[in-house]
Amino acid sequence: MARSLYEWLWQHEFWLPPGITWEDMQESEDTHYPQPRDLLLSIPFALILVVIRCAFERAIALPLSTKLGVRDKQRPKAQPNPVLETFYSTHCKNPKKGELLGLAKQYDLPVRKVEKWFRRRRNMDRPSLSKKFSEACWRFTFYIISFFTGLSVLYDKPWLWDHRECWTGYPQQPLQPSLFWYYMLELSFYWSLVFTLPFDVKRKDFKEQIIHHAATIFLISFSYCANYIRIGTLVMVIHDASDCFLEPTKIFNYMKWKKTCDSLFMIFSAVFLISRLVIYPYTVLYNTYYYSMEIFQPFFGYYFVNVLLIILQLLHVFWSCLIIHMVYKFILQGTMEKDMRSDTEESDKDEEGDKIREKETNGITYFSNVTSNGYIQRNGSEPLDNRAHLANGHAKER
């Protein structure tokens, strides 16, 4: 059964253009072609990258965050409660109002206390600022290395300047050692992101990230097996270009360097939108869909690789909408809006509200905001603002 499945999977009709068989792809002493078994090397390389990342974050990124003034916010801890902890771990981390009432009634606890416990418990699971800083430093380091590695590998390759060269002699295009190691570097990195996904900072586009990583791994793997090496290298360089600006934007944001962060974000937005919505569709999508047809007729591999490339483009559109929205807010308000993908901490306003309620129970009321009718009264009578009050909906001087 396994042998039959293996033979069916590796039919040349699936992987190679019409008229080309695996016999035509035989290697010699001087000519080497991509072999599917080579991809297995990416798994141990990915584990090595995970180890390097852990060492980098502990030995370099964390001490650097301290020197640059990145401070973790002090979060009040949830009191140990085995019953609520069991509900939190097995059932729901953010119970609804009815569930909060049920828990409070079942265990004879005030509803506010149960709500506060869950809020603090969720905050305990949220990543610290230093963890976010360390993750951004690691990715920035890798993207810089990967991007300049790609440029050094491709600068003298003809298909970087003439996109039709991607298909000259396809699929009998010998694999150069530099291209092999560039592929292994990129594939290993995305495998390492999959391995560390449960431990990385989770954002609101977590599902889209999973789809992105899966599509990228499949795309790199399939392009290697089908010898789409040339088009694959273009895809990787284009993607790394904008990522080199995204991660330092996060780093300066965590450092509270607002003007630098805003400037870098605008640069990142321009590079991202141009590279993903202009360069990528022309250099990759149009190239793969149209120019390749000048060399061979459509086959399964042609359709499959185009589907993967289109999935990536749809994700580009999704993220572009988020970026355009943030840029629009920046132009209107003059300040950068918080990353909509971030998981917002719940402590500040809610904790202040709890303190106010506690003071109210002791007969003392403190207000932090001006009321809607323009003045605040104390003990139900005397206005705090002696300059003006509202009469018939208008402000008058006293």
Side-chain angles (χ1 to χ4, degrees):
M1 177 66 70
R3 182 175 180 81
S4 299
L5 179 62
Y6 178 85
E7 292 178 352
W8 175 83
L9 178 63
W10 293 107
Q11 294 182 69
H12 63 265
E13 290 87 357
F14 290 167
W15 300 85
L16 301 174
I20 304 294
T21 65
W22 291 117
E23 285 72 19
D24 300 319
M25 302 290 293
Q26 294 296 323
E27 294 186 333
S28 63
E29 293 183 0
D30 301 326
T31 304
H32 298 281
Y33 295 110
Q35 301 296 326
R37 63 177 178 270
D38 298 340
L39 298 177
L40 296 176
L41 292 173
S42 64
I43 302 300
F45 288 161
L47 296 177
I48 292 173
L49 281 179
V50 172
V51 174
I52 294 175
R53 172 182 174 176
C54 292
F56 174 87
E57 291 185 352
R58 290 189 178 186
I60 299 177
L62 280 176
L64 183 63
S65 68
T66 303
K67 290 184 178 180
L68 294 177
V70 177
R71 297 289 183 266
D72 293 332
K73 187 175 183 179
Q74 295 296 325
R75 300 168 177 168
K77 295 183 178 180
Q79 295 295 326
N81 190 315
V83 175
L84 296 181
E85 184 67 37
T86 300
F87 185 91
Y88 180 87
S89 303
T90 61
H91 186 65
C92 180
K93 295 184 178 182
N94 192 7
K96 297 180 180 179
K97 199 169 188 178
E99 293 174 318
L100 290 172
L101 291 172
L103 287 169
K105 184 177 181 181
Q106 183 178 356
Y107 302 107
D108 193 25
L109 295 171
V111 177
R112 292 296 304 174
K113 187 173 182 179
V114 175
E115 184 180 6
K116 181 194 295 185
W117 188 93
F118 276 97
R119 181 172 62 247
R120 290 183 173 181
R121 184 65 182 83
R122 287 192 297 269
N123 285 339
M124 288 171 60
D125 283 347
R126 287 187 169 88
S128 63
L129 203 60
S130 59
K131 177 176 174 57
K132 294 179 180 179
F133 179 91
S134 300
E135 180 180 313
C137 283
W138 164 250
R139 296 197 183 202
F140 172 64
T141 302
F142 177 84
Y143 288 134
I144 284 291
I145 294 174
S146 177
F147 178 66
F148 284 101
T149 298
L151 290 181
S152 64
V153 168
L154 294 177
Y155 82 97
D156 60 344
K157 303 299 186 293
W159 62 87
L160 180 63
W161 315 106
D162 183 1
H163 301 146
R164 282 186 168 87
E165 288 293 325
C166 289
W167 313 108
T168 300
Y170 180 84
Q172 295 168 307
Q173 296 171 337
L175 176 63
Q176 301 176 20
S178 60
L179 298 178
F180 167 78
W181 288 111
Y182 181 44
Y183 249 75
M184 287 298 106
L185 177 67
E186 290 280 354
L187 184 57
S188 300
F189 175 71
Y190 282 102
W191 272 121
S192 72
L193 291 183
V194 172
F195 295 157
T196 59
L197 204 56
F199 313 103
D200 287 343
V201 177
K202 291 182 175 60
R203 304 184 187 275
K204 293 180 181 179
D205 61 346
F206 180 73
K207 295 180 180 179
E208 288 79 8
Q209 284 184 340
I210 295 177
I211 296 174
H212 175 268
H213 296 341
T216 302
I217 289 172
F218 275 117
L219 179 60
I220 293 176
S221 301
F222 180 80
S223 65
Y224 186 85
C225 293
N227 206 11
Y228 281 104
I229 299 293
R230 297 183 179 183
I231 198 69
T233 54
L234 295 179
V235 173
M236 293 186 291
V237 167
I238 290 172
H239 279 71
D240 289 341
S242 59
D243 291 332
C244 290
F245 293 97
L246 175 61
E247 300 306 326
T249 301
K250 296 178 183 178
I251 291 172
F252 284 109
N253 180 44
Y254 303 144
M255 293 167 55
K256 310 298 183 184
W257 291 24
K258 185 169 177 52
K259 291 184 178 180
T260 306
C261 173
D262 291 349
S263 301
L264 277 175
F265 183 81
M266 297 303 292
I267 296 173
F268 159 75
S269 300
V271 174
F272 185 96
L273 296 176
I274 293 173
S275 62
R276 306 293 180 94
L277 300 184
V278 179
I279 297 177
Y280 178 86
Y282 173 72
T283 304
V284 177
L285 292 182
Y286 184 77
N287 186 9
T288 307
Y289 177 79
Y290 181 74
Y291 288 157
S292 62
M293 292 296 95
E294 298 178 355
I295 306 299
F296 53 78
Q297 295 299 313
F299 63 105
F300 173 79
Y302 164 83
Y303 293 114
F304 188 68
V305 76
N306 274 282
V307 167
L308 291 176
L309 292 172
I310 290 173
I311 291 175
L312 284 182
Q313 181 60 24
L314 292 176
L315 290 170
H316 296 164
V317 173
F318 170 79
W319 282 312
S320 296
C321 291
L322 295 181
I323 292 171
I324 291 172
H325 178 76
M326 295 178 69
V327 172
Y328 176 73
K329 289 289 186 181
F330 175 76
I331 294 174
L332 289 183
Q333 300 176 2
T335 182
M336 188 59 62
E337 189 184 51
K338 190 180 184 298
D339 188 351
M340 291 176 292
R341 303 176 305 148
S342 298
D343 193 10
T344 305
E345 195 160 332
E346 304 173 72
S347 58
D348 294 336
K349 292 183 179 179
D350 296 318
E351 292 294 335
E352 289 174 5
D354 289 335
K355 291 178 182 178
I356 290 174
R357 291 184 187 91
E358 290 175 2
K359 291 178 180 179
E360 285 177 343
T361 59
N362 296 326
I364 304 174
T365 305
Y366 289 86
F367 293 89
S368 59
N369 296 316
V370 179
T371 56
S372 59
N373 59 355
Y375 71 107
I376 301 175
Q377 289 185 341
R378 181 173 53 209
N379 299 328
S381 59
E382 182 183 353
L384 293 179
D385 187 353
N386 291 322
R387 292 181 306 163
H389 68 94
L390 291 179
N392 299 324
H394 300 282
K396 286 185 177 181
E397 293 294 333
R398 290 184 60 85

